[in-house]
Amino acid sequence: MATQLPKTDVVIVGAGWTGLAAAKELADAGQRCVVIERGDWRHDASNFGAPEEHDELKYARRKEHMIDTPTKTLSFRNNADQTALPMRRLGSFLPGKGLGGAGIHWNGQLWRPLPSDLEMRSHYADRYGEDILKGMNVQDWGMTYDELEPHFDFFDRVCGTSGVAGNLNGETQDGGNPFEGPRSSDYPNPPMKASPPLQMFRDTAEQMGYNPFHMPSANVTRAYENAYGAQLHPCTYCGFCERFGCGYFAKADPIVCIYDVVKDHENFELRMNSQVLRVEKSEDGKTATGVTYVDENGREVFQPADTVCLNAYALWNVHLMLVSGLGTPYDPETGEGTVGRNYAYQTIAAASVFFDENVWSNPFMGAGALGMTIDDFNGDNFDHSDLGFVGGGYISANQTNGRPINYHPTPPDTPKWGAEWKQAVRENYLHHVGIVCHGSSVAVPQNYLDLDPTYKDAYGQPLLRMTFDFPENDRKMSAYVLSKAEEIARNMDNVRAVSTVNRAAEGEKYSIVPYQTTHNTGGAVIGSDPKTSVVNRYGQMWDHHNVFVFGACLFPQNLGYNPTGPLMGLAYWTLDHMKNDYLQNPRPLMDA
Amino acid sequence: MPQFSRRAVLMQLGASGLAALTPGAALAQNRYAELDTQPWSYLDGNEARFLASMADVLIPEDDFPSASQAGVVDFIDLQLAGPYGQGAGLYLEGPFGDGTPEQGWQADHTPASLIRTGIARLERDDTRLVDLDADEREEFVTRLSEGKDFDLGDVPAKTLFDEIWALVKEGYFADPIYGGNKGYAGWEMVGFPGAHAYYPDHVDKNAPFPAPPRGIAHVPGTRHSADTASALRGADTPKEEG
Ligand SMILES: Cc1cc2nc3c(=O)[nH]c(=O)nc-3n(C[C@H](O)[C@H](O)[C@H](O)COP(=O)(O)OP(=O)(O)OC[C@H]3O[C@@H](n4cnc5c(N)ncnc54)[C@H](O)[C@@H]3O)c2cc1C
């Protein structure tokens, strides 16, 4: 029997970006919050210092900050005709564990969605007619850019985002992204420096009539006190962002930006090394009563709560719903049910640019969000009339790192190993840049999440099962955007060779092996129709009004942008409605 | 079985491997030299010789050391004896199916047992990779990399190749605290300055960054400067001198 603890106001599952933001906002609003996190306690000051943290083998290869597959993994197949097999090793995506979640080892590329992204179905139907979306479960998000803007703006001030505004209150600004939605205030910090290849990308893109700008970055460019009063420091361009914690307090993360300012709050309690097994439901099934978890001593504990927040990362939120019987699981045969529906991913392609000896890229000088970007082929920023696909992606010359175990760019037709390979690695290492195409991903009926019938995790629970392959739409999109990136690459000066890779190439299946992105989306989507969404437009479950859901599982389909900016905008929007409406009078905030 | 020292075992590498053991400048400088008198942690002599021969096909000697010269076999030995080799980070619950390439590792083995079993089956008729000449070694590694013509039971040949190749690259380029990358061979070769990284004043400059590499253990490198690397490159491919 589980030990029962005294009731709390709010229980929060997961101490990553969304969980700690929820704890801070709700504790300030007078709610007693218990945060339950399955990983270890850690801190930038004591755990992520250089040079020890700059250990490529330990963190980038052995993946010490990430989930441990023997404890937690999922099973995977490309389509329903295959038998799903466990993801035995991490590869395509790297979910986090421990204080700060994946927000510790992220890159800090901090985007907002386009206004049209949030109304994708209506927007495309209006401009091109419904037919363009045939065979896809593309949906509107249920709220507009203008409704979310104050929350994007706030999160920019939590992170100290750096960049150049392209649209300030409706006025187009020089040097920024002309396609972005209006910002109510400028970036808190000036843009990052541009390395030589980024400068060359900017010049070439400009000559070709595109609109290059500095990628919005949560790698902070000067000393900055954030919206909660926490202190951040300038980035050192050390090249150890993605997969590493930042001991410089320069990459905005949930520990430095939020945990430090809530940890001593009387309404805040954190329980580490505690794995939530399920959300418990009331007898009538209409509400949740709390969560059952295995604590650090291996005891099963029931924590009752008035309100339950799911902040366990996109995939694990869906897993918790499925094992707890929250909502109705999606059935791909009938199209009914919503939990697990509309799982989507990120469609990644890239052009590799090999310079001659006159261009020193020095790739080890980098930062997670050091990029020069164009948005001319993202979302519906370009005419899709005759293209045969929807969506798009940003094209960005990125200089994130030159870590030597992994960074071995070699020109086309180089052997994969041996003397010639070795020579090519040596010749190209200091003279190369990658141009990434960071593409959207539409939701289709055949891609979904459910429970695996065979395989179990360390707690005896069925693994989450992922059924996914790149939809035809996204393959076309990716080929198109990549062709534009390749054109830019070939137009740059001092280029000896260009090669390309497309993860969604025609004829190739999605593979769970090579790293792509930790941008798993959907499965518990937000919306205004309970038939096609798990939560209403406020992030509240339709079926259980005291369960609120956070993270990229809410995205009805995936954007051409990285998810954290959009999902944190949604998080602060949900928290706003909880604080100012729901908690005074708990009830469904929308009629089903 | 007697435990041979690393040096004694690798001494038997055969013709093309022998050069690997002439203590050159790089080897003499390495701070792990003391390891050379110790027995292996996981490997036996045959396995070490197999891995050394294969690693040196993958990363042969040129102006920079070969894989085994840079300590890659020491590195692999320590990795296989440690948590990684013993299956940390690998979900090993059954049932096991072949799966598709897209589904990744599905072998019912830890990395250590995959490599041990794989080598034993590859050499079960007592033909040893180490006894082949350079061309034959290359041909063998090519076939293994294609995963063709090998029946290794429950060890997929392609998985075995990929695993060894991944370990070889790690051993050549990981921080020297793990026993490989001796004398910063891998880092000097490409021009990576190491773990002590602070570049706000350099990141926007189109210029070489001539700093000797330094790893986590603060041991400074010896030889590298971007100029040296550049000059070496120039010597090999004169027309590309910038
Ligand atoms: C390598 C990498 C690079 C990235 N780069 C970027 C980027 O540049 N830009 C961007 O926008 N996004 C990026 N991301 C994605 C970003 O990290 C996530 O979007 C973000 O962290 C999501 O926040 P979250 O709160 O939903 O989940 P997380 O931050 O993952 O936090 C979830 C927490 O819940 C805990 N948890 C899960 N299940 C349970 C359970 N059952 N019981 C108890 N605790 C549980 C986990 O241990 C974890 O700590 C990157 C991710 C990775 C891995």
Side-chain angles (χ1 to χ4, degrees):
Chain A
M1 267 311 287
T3 313
Q4 176 155 344
L5 298 174
K7 191 169 180 181
T8 184
D9 296 329
V10 183
V11 67
I12 294 169
V13 185
W17 266 127
T18 62
L20 289 171
K24 168 70 177 144
E25 294 295 318
L26 297 174
D28 282 348
Q31 298 284 308
R32 283 173 301 134
C33 297
V34 172
V35 180
I36 303 181
E37 164 59 48
R38 69 172 165 218
D40 292 325
W41 189 91
R42 52 189 179 167
H43 199 285
D44 303 48
S46 44
N47 298 83
F48 307 146
E52 288 77 10
E53 183 72 8
H54 295 174
D55 184 338
E56 183 183 11
L57 186 73
K58 183 169 179 185
Y59 297 107
R61 305 286 295 189
R62 304 292 179 254
K63 310 190 173 82
E64 293 267 318
H65 293 319
M66 295 124 195
I67 55 162
D68 172 40
T69 53
T71 320
K72 192 90 209 160
T73 187
L74 44 71
S75 67
F76 161 73
R77 57 183 179 175
N78 281 123
N79 58 63
D81 295 333
Q82 294 178 335
T83 304
L85 293 175
M87 175 175 76
R88 297 189 180 276
R89 236 185 211 174
L90 289 176
S92 171
F93 42 87
L94 303 171
K97 62 159 198 292
L99 188 60
I104 295 309
H105 61 267
W106 76 320
N107 264 331
Q109 307 179 352
L110 186 45
W111 293 91
R112 300 175 176 201
L114 298 167
S116 59
D117 283 337
L118 301 185
E119 299 164 277
M120 189 165 173
R121 176 159 285 275
S122 331
H123 173 89
Y124 274 92
D126 279 359
R127 186 167 173 190
Y128 305 102
E130 281 277 347
D131 266 5
I132 197 169
L133 298 172
K134 225 161 87 194
M136 305 174 206
N137 286 347
V138 165
Q139 300 175 192
D140 292 354
W141 289 45
M143 80 297 295
T144 62
Y145 176 86
D146 290 343
E147 287 176 299
L148 292 184
E149 202 285 332
H151 307 293
F152 297 138
D153 184 65
F154 183 74
F155 190 56
D156 273 339
R157 284 178 286 121
V158 170
C159 291
T161 318
S162 72
V164 179
N167 181 339
L168 260 185
N169 296 305
E171 305 266 320
T172 305
Q173 310 288 309
D174 279 349
N177 177 6
F179 300 101
E180 70 178 357
R183 292 175 179 270
S184 55
S185 57
D186 203 344
Y187 281 100
N189 287 308
M192 302 196 81
K193 297 187 175 187
S195 64
L198 273 54
Q199 297 167 20
M200 295 169 68
F201 176 88
R202 177 175 56 205
D203 295 346
T204 308
E206 234 159 42
Q207 280 159 20
M208 294 173 73
Y210 301 138
N211 298 278
F213 57 93
H214 286 267
M215 176 181 284
S217 166
N219 315 140
V220 178
T221 49
R222 62 180 174 194
Y224 179 73
E225 187 183 312
N226 86 351
Y228 292 129
Q231 187 66 47
L232 291 156
H233 296 287
C235 175
T236 66
Y237 299 88
C238 75
F240 289 89
C241 262
E242 182 175 56
R243 305 187 181 201
F244 301 82
C246 178
Y248 300 111
F249 287 50
K251 176 173 73 175
D253 75 40
I255 296 178
V256 172
C257 295
I258 307 182
Y259 169 74
D260 277 352
V261 296
V262 70
K263 64 178 194 282
D264 297 325
H265 201 296
E266 57 179 359
N267 290 333
F268 177 79
E269 189 190 335
L270 176 65
R271 298 193 194 133
M272 301 303 299
N273 302 107
S274 298
Q275 169 84 28
V276 174
L277 297 179
R278 61 190 167 269
V279 179
E280 305 291 353
K281 290 189 287 189
S282 61
E283 238 150 62
D284 65 5
K286 294 217 163 94
T287 54
T289 55
V291 303
T292 297
Y293 66 97
V294 180
D295 75 4
E296 56 188 341
N297 301 315
R299 284 184 314 169
E300 209 166 293
V301 179
F302 173 55
Q303 174 62 63
D306 287 331
T307 307
V308 173
C309 292
L310 298 185
N311 306 69
Y313 184 69
L315 294 167
W316 318 125
N317 281 343
V318 175
H319 184 247
L320 278 173
M321 288 179 191
L322 291 167
V323 295
S324 309
L326 299 183
T328 311
Y330 172 65
D331 179 349
E333 304 269 303
T334 63
E336 278 159 30
T338 51
V339 179
R341 181 175 173 275
N342 280 25
Y343 172 73
Y345 195 42
Q346 202 85 63
T347 316
I348 298 289
S352 237
V353 187
F354 299 88
F355 297 111
D356 65 24
E357 304 261 317
N358 295 311
V359 180
W360 294 87
S361 57
N362 296 329
F364 48 85
M365 303 179 188
L370 181 58
M372 192 64 71
T373 312
I374 64 164
D375 223 11
D376 299 68
F377 299 101
N378 206 349
D380 194 34
N381 295 342
F382 55 113
D383 188 356
H384 285 77
S385 304
D386 300 316
L387 295 176
F389 65 83
V390 300
Y394 67 70
I395 298 175
S396 191
N398 287 351
Q399 189 158 326
T400 62
N401 78 87
R403 294 188 302 266
I405 299 174
N406 215 44
Y407 190 85
H408 303 143
T410 53
D413 303 324
T414 307
K416 296 262 182 290
W417 42 265
E420 275 179 66
W421 173 85
K422 190 181 181 197
Q423 183 69 24
V425 167
R426 180 173 142 195
E427 281 175 7
N428 289 286
Y429 176 83
L430 297 171
H431 309 281
H432 165 268
V433 77
I435 301 180
V436 69
C437 303
H438 190 275
S440 56
S441 174
V442 296
V444 291
Q446 65 272 23
N447 288 338
Y448 65 103
L449 304 171
D450 66 352
L451 291 177
D452 191 273
T454 309
Y455 296 96
K456 304 246 185 314
D457 65 21
Y459 302 91
Q461 295 191 303
L463 299 189
L464 187 69
R465 177 170 68 177
M466 174 187 290
T467 305
F468 180 81
D469 202 354
F470 293 112
E472 205 42 46
N473 177 83
D474 298 350
R475 294 177 185 277
K476 288 189 195 141
M477 178 279 297
S478 196
Y480 180 81
V481 178
L482 179 58
S483 72
K484 301 295 177 189
E486 196 180 345
E487 248 173 65
I488 301 174
R490 293 197 187 280
N491 279 332
M492 285 165 81
D493 290 334
N494 299 86
V495 172
R496 288 195 296 142
V498 173
S499 69
T500 60
V501 44
N502 184 356
R503 297 291 178 208
E506 213 53 73
E508 275 173 48
K509 297 196 187 87
Y510 165 66
S511 168
I512 203 155
V513 179
Y515 184 72
Q516 289 153 70
T517 65
T518 311
H519 306 167
N520 312 89
T521 67
V525 315
I526 199 164
S528 43
D529 178 354
K531 285 207 226 32
T532 56
S533 57
V534 172
V535 301
N536 64 27
R537 77 182 207 113
Y538 304 109
Q540 175 186 45
M541 283 195 83
W542 291 106
D543 293 346
H544 317 281
H545 71 74
N546 65 340
V547 179
F548 289 83
V549 183
F550 297 80
C553 54
L554 300 174
F555 298 2
Q557 55 274 332
N558 202 5
L559 309 148
Y561 301 109
N562 312 55
T564 309
L567 71 86
M568 288 305 286
L570 282 177
Y572 282 110
W573 150 267
T574 291
L575 291 164
D576 189 28
H577 287 277
M578 289 176 76
K579 287 189 304 188
N580 296 312
D581 187 356
Y582 178 78
L583 292 169
Q584 290 85 339
N585 178 15
R587 69 199 188 285
L589 294 172
M590 283 176 81
D591 293 332
Chain B
M1 171 196 297
Q3 298 258 291
F4 296 106
S5 80
R6 288 147 200 265
R7 186 162 300 263
V9 167
L10 291 180
M11 272 304 201
Q12 302 162 34
L13 254 188
S16 73
L18 209 65
L21 297 153
T22 319
L27 278 178
Q29 303 254 359
N30 107 59
R31 56 188 283 275
Y32 299 94
E34 67 267 29
L35 276 184
D36 289 347
T37 55
Q38 290 169 16
W40 299 97
S41 303
Y42 177 79
L43 299 173
D44 67 25
N46 270 335
E47 292 163 346
R49 278 186 292 268
F50 176 92
L51 289 170
S53 335
M54 177 158 161
D56 285 355
V57 174
L58 296 168
I59 304 186
E61 184 184 9
D62 49 17
D63 311 335
F64 291 89
S66 74
S68 76
Q69 287 169 325
V72 163
V73 185
D74 300 297
F75 170 89
I76 296 178
D77 180 52
L78 293 169
Q79 288 296 308
L80 296 186
Y84 173 77
Q86 301 306 310
L90 195 56
Y91 175 92
L92 285 174
E93 300 300 316
F96 288 84
D98 291 343
T100 63
E102 291 78 16
Q103 290 174 310
W105 181 294
Q106 295 299 334
D108 183 8
H109 281 285
T110 62
S113 79
L114 183 94
I115 287 175
R116 170 153 296 166
T117 314
I119 294 174
R121 292 187 186 153
L122 282 168
E123 296 192 334
R124 68 191 137 202
D125 59 2
D126 277 345
T127 45
R128 307 235 170 257
L129 184 57
V130 65
D131 297 331
L132 305 183
D133 68 25
D135 287 346
E136 291 167 334
R137 288 184 191 185
E138 174 128 0
E139 199 249 27
F140 170 89
V141 174
T142 304
R143 284 195 298 128
L144 190 65
S145 74
E146 291 161 356
K148 285 196 287 221
D149 320 330
F150 291 101
D151 178 12
L152 306 180
D154 67 352
V155 174
K158 182 76 171 66
T159 306
L160 179 64
F161 174 85
D162 289 346
E163 185 64 15
I164 294 174
W165 179 213
L167 282 161
V168 167
K169 277 186 286 192
E170 289 173 352
Y172 203 75
F173 291 107
D175 195 285
I177 57 172
Y178 294 102
N181 190 12
K182 283 187 182 174
Y184 296 115
W187 292 4
E188 292 206 349
M189 179 181 107
V190 295
F192 175 66
H196 302 258
Y198 186 87
Y199 309 116
D201 301 330
H202 302 279
V203 62
D204 52 356
K205 309 273 186 305
N206 187 27
F209 184 76
R214 254 195 318 158
I216 291 167
H218 293 258
V219 179
T222 47
R223 181 170 51 141
H224 173 80
S225 76
D227 291 335
T228 321
S230 199
L232 286 171
R233 261 196 303 278
D236 291 323
T237 49
K239 59 184 173 305
E240 273 153 24
E241 264 243 84

